[in-house]
């Protein structure tokens, strides 16, 4: 009566089902580990965002504990060094390009993400979206 359970076809079928069950359990554990690490990262970002704004010169050289930290820097934009990252979008599904500009400070040079511009603005310098002139903070 139970001899049909030991036929190769049945054994193979049970092995496949067992493999799928093991894979699902391992993938579920992986997702839970990812959730834990995402929660830790979110808590770190929230804690550092709540910290007081620091002057860039006080933090240099930057270390791993300075990630996601709000800083204050003052300097002048260098529009000759603008870079456009194509195809990044506005975040709401509309197409666009991200505009990056160097900010020359006393402590060094920072790359400032100045936002997203329409897709037709795909070559620097971007007319109508130029950086402010003079010293900025």
């Amino acid at each position: 009566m139970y001899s049909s359970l030991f036929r190769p076809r049945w054994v193979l079928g049970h092995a496949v089902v067992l493999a799928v069950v093991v894979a699902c359990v391992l993938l579920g554990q992986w997702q839970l580990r990812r959730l834990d690490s995402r929660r830790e990262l979110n808590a770190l970002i929230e804690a550092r965002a709540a910290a007081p704004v620091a002057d860039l010169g006080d933090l240099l050289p930057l270390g791993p504990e300075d990630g996601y930290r709000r800083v204050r820097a003052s300097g002048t934009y260098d529009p000759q060094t603008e870079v456009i990252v194509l195809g990044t979008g506005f975040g709401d599904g509309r197409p666009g390009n991200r505009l990056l500009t160097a900010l020359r400070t006393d402590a060094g040079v920072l790359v400032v993400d100045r936002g997203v511009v329409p897709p037709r603005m795909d070559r620097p310098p971007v007319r109508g979206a130029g950086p402010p002139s003079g010293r900025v903070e």
Side-chain angles (χ1 to χ4, degrees):
M1 172 152 115
Y2 294 108
S3 63
S4 65
L5 294 177
F6 297 105
R7 290 190 181 149
R9 184 174 175 181
W10 278 89
V11 172
L12 181 62
H14 285 89
V16 168
V17 167
L18 181 64
V20 168
V21 167
V22 168
C24 287
V25 168
L26 293 176
L27 286 171
Q29 291 174 345
W30 169 75
Q31 283 186 326
L32 290 174
R33 284 191 306 271
R34 259 185 65 91
L35 175 63
D36 288 340
S37 48
R38 175 55 88 180
R39 285 181 175 164
E40 288 172 12
L41 178 62
N42 288 345
L44 174 70
I45 291 171
E46 287 177 11
R48 296 221 175 131
V53 178
D55 286 323
L56 177 65
D58 296 341
L59 293 179
L60 292 178
L62 295 175
E65 68 280 355
D66 296 320
Y68 305 104
R69 183 79 190 269
R70 294 182 308 150
V71 298
R72 178 182 304 112
S74 62
T76 56
Y77 281 112
D78 184 1
Q80 302 304 322
T81 60
E82 278 185 345
V83 175
I84 296 179
V85 181
L86 299 174
T88 54
F90 279 93
D92 59 0
R94 294 181 297 150
N97 301 318
R98 192 155 297 280
L99 179 61
L100 307 175
T101 306
L103 177 69
R104 299 199 180 278
T105 69
D106 296 335
V109 178
L110 297 175
V111 176
V112 177
D113 181 348
R114 294 190 33 240
V116 180
V117 295
R120 68 179 180 282
M121 297 179 172
D122 60 354
R123 297 197 193 290
V126 175
R127 296 184 196 279
S133 60
R135 196 154 183 85
V136 296
E137 184 174 303

